[in-house]
């Protein structure tokens, strides 16, 4: 069973059902039931037209559910609109579905959460982690969003800012999480950039390209993480870097700075440095100042503390870190790094071990554990 194929077809099938009149929650349930049937039946008897098969089965599942609901018997008229047998259109509806999920009846945060869950394929836990909230809180938010959109028609697409936020989070999860969605996020952002002349769309595309260019160097052959300073820069994708820088420069020239352009500028400074030691940390701090002015993001403040530690010394970095909430993800890991650079291996080892216990990602946990072990072996307790 090709799970990647099923995942790639899901948004398009869901879009077909929504366009044909199904409310979002019912359409999502029907598509999930069709996917279950596909998992059960395809290994023994795969269809010639996978998308057409899923559309047909999901539509019938939806109609069956509609008939069973006496309050919605009017939907029985939709049976005449059942897709005819034969190959389904090859059009890609995914980006359209992102806009439909970003419905004006939803708050931006709820629209993002709903889209990540229903279209992006992320789990509730992954979305909660991205938003820095408990999983139960995010589950309630997604449930409320589903209830809201179940009573509206999808005839008013949402705004670009909400769709950009979804694509940004999908890329971040695909770049560092359990599901590889980074390439799909780049593809959709390219589509959006081709359709809309917007500096923040260009900024997001540049950011994705610059981060994705370093992906091959982020892990060792054994799967372990390789920190930025230790990466083999010869493995970076220079074509992607060049494209990202060009896209970013055109966006910045329009003098309408946004958060994605600011983040892309930081990524470009890292990509432009021939070695880690030649990184322009002073400029990076300045760009983080701009990003904080735009967003007041706690994650941006955490990253700025690291940059201050590189530009002005670890004690300056620790002073910046002391102003932040110690409960922030990776706060303890940053503290460990800055204490090590400040010549305090005992404290750094303890903090690396503590950070490892808090880490959600297995590769990150292993990396932090190795850092603690390295310091403990080099500086054994007396």
């Amino acid at each position: 069973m090709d799970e990647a194929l099923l995942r790639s077809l899901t948004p398009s099938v869901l879009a077909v059902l929504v366009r044909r009149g199904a409310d979002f929650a019912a359409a999502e349930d029907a598509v999930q039931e069709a996917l279950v049937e596909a998992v059960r039946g395809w290994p023994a008897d795969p269809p010639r037209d996978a998308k057409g098969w899923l559309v047909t089965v999901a539509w019938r599942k939806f109609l069956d559910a509609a008939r069973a609901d006496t309050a919605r018997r009017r939907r029985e008229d939709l049976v005449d609109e059942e897709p005819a047998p034969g190959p389904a259109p090859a059009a890609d509806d995914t980006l359209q579905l992102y806009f439909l999920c970003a419905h004006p009846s939803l708050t931006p945060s709820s629209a993002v959460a709903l889209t990540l869950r229903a279209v992006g394929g992320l789990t509730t836990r992954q979305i909660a982690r991205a938003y820095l909230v408990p999983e139960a809180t995010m589950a309630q938010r997604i449930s409320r969003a589903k209830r809201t959109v179940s009573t509206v028609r999808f005839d008013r697409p949402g705004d670009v800012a909400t769709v950009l936020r979804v694509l940004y989070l999908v890329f971040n999860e695909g770049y560092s999480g359990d599901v590889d969605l980074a390439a799909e996020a780049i593809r959709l952002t390219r589509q959006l950039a081709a359709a809309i002349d917007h500096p923040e769309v260009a900024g997001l595309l540049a950011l994705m390209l610059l981060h994705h260019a370093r992906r091959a160097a982020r892990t060792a052959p054994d799967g372990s993480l390789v920190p930025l300073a230790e990466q083999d820069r010869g493995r970076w994708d220079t074509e992607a870097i060049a494209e990202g820088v060009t896209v970013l420069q055109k966006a910045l020239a329009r003098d309408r700075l946004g958060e994605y352009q600011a983040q892309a500028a930081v990524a470009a400074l890292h990509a432009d440095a021939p070695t880690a030691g030649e990184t322009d940390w002073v400029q990076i701090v300045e760009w983080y100042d701009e990003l904080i002015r735009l967003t007041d993001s706690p994650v941006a403040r955490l990253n700025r503390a690291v940059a201050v530690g590189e530009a002005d010394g670890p004690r300056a970095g620790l002073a910046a870190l002391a102003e932040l909430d110690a409960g922030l993800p990776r706060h303890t890991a940053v503290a460990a790094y800055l204490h090590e650079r400040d010549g305090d291996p005992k404290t750094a080892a303890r903090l690396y071990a503590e950070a490892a216990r808090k880490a959600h990602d297995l590769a990150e946990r292993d990396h932090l554990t190795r850092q603690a072990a390295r310091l403990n072996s080099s500086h054994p307790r007396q």
Side-chain angles (χ1 to χ4, degrees), residues 72-83:
R72 299 178 182 179
R73 289 194 178 279
R74 61 183 180 80
R75 289 183 175 165
E76 291 184 355
D77 295 336
L78 297 174
V79 71
D80 296 330
E81 299 178 21
E82 182 174 348

Side-chain angles (χ1 to χ4, degrees), residues 323-362:
E323 300 175 1
L324 307 181
D325 180 0
L328 278 173
R330 297 191 172 90
H331 184 285
T332 307
V334 170
Y337 173 74
L338 291 172
H339 275 290
E340 180 182 359
R341 289 204 57 229
D342 194 38
D344 186 357
K346 181 179 178 181
T347 300
R350 175 178 58 79
L351 290 172
Y352 275 130
E354 182 182 338
R357 291 192 294 270
K358 295 178 180 179
H360 297 286
D361 180 74
L362 180 59

Side-chain angles (χ1 to χ4, degrees), residues 233-256:
R233 299 184 179 221
R235 299 184 65 196
W236 290 2
D237 185 340
T238 55
E239 290 186 7
I241 290 173
E243 181 186 1
V245 169
T246 300
V247 171
L248 173 62
Q249 288 174 338
K250 290 180 180 178
L252 291 174
R254 300 179 64 174
D255 199 23
R256 289 169 54 194

Side-chain angles (χ1 to χ4, degrees), residues 30 58 103 106-107 117 134 143 153 199 206 212 216 220 225 251 255 275 288 299:
H103 197 274
L106 296 173
T107 64
R117 182 71 185 91
S143 295
R153 289 190 60 82
H212 206 61
L225 289 181
D255 199 23
T275 66
Y288 275 125
V299 175

Side-chain angles (χ1 to χ4, degrees), residues 140-184:
Q140 292 176 353
R141 185 179 299 177
I142 294 172
S143 295
R144 285 196 299 269
K146 287 183 177 180
R147 286 197 298 271
T148 299
V149 299
S150 68
T151 62
V152 301
R153 289 190 60 82
F154 282 84
D155 54 359
R156 291 186 299 152
D159 64 358
V160 174
T162 301
V163 173
L164 287 179
R165 184 64 180 167
V166 175
L167 290 168
Y168 172 75
L169 291 173
V170 169
F171 177 82
N172 280 350
E173 191 60 41
Y175 188 63
S176 60
D178 302 325
V179 183
D180 185 1
L181 296 168
E184 173 68 359

Side-chain angles (χ1 to χ4, degrees), residues 223-300:
S224 60
L225 289 181
V226 180
L228 176 61
E230 300 172 18
Q231 289 176 14
D232 178 0
R233 299 184 179 221
R235 299 184 65 196
W236 290 2
D237 185 340
T238 55
E239 290 186 7
I241 290 173
E243 181 186 1
V245 169
T246 300
V247 171
L248 173 62
Q249 288 174 338
K250 290 180 180 178
L252 291 174
R254 300 179 64 174
D255 199 23
R256 289 169 54 194
L257 184 64
E259 61 175 300
Y260 302 118
Q261 295 169 71
Q263 289 188 60
V266 171
L269 287 167
H270 283 299
D272 187 54
T275 66
E278 297 173 85
T279 304
D280 190 341
W281 287 105
V282 173
Q283 271 205 70
I284 288 176
V285 172
E286 292 173 355
W287 276 112
Y288 275 125
D289 288 338
E290 290 287 346
L291 183 58
I292 291 167
R293 180 182 62 81
L294 291 165
T295 67
D296 196 27
S297 163
V299 175

Side-chain angles (χ1 to χ4, degrees), residues 113 115-118 120-131 135 138-139 142 173 178-179 181:
T115 313
L116 289 172
R117 182 71 185 91
L122 273 63
T123 66
T124 303
R125 177 175 297 179
Q126 289 170 320
I127 302 168
R129 206 161 60 223
Y131 269 91
E135 184 176 353
M138 184 53 65
I142 294 172
E173 191 60 41
D178 302 325
V179 183
L181 296 168

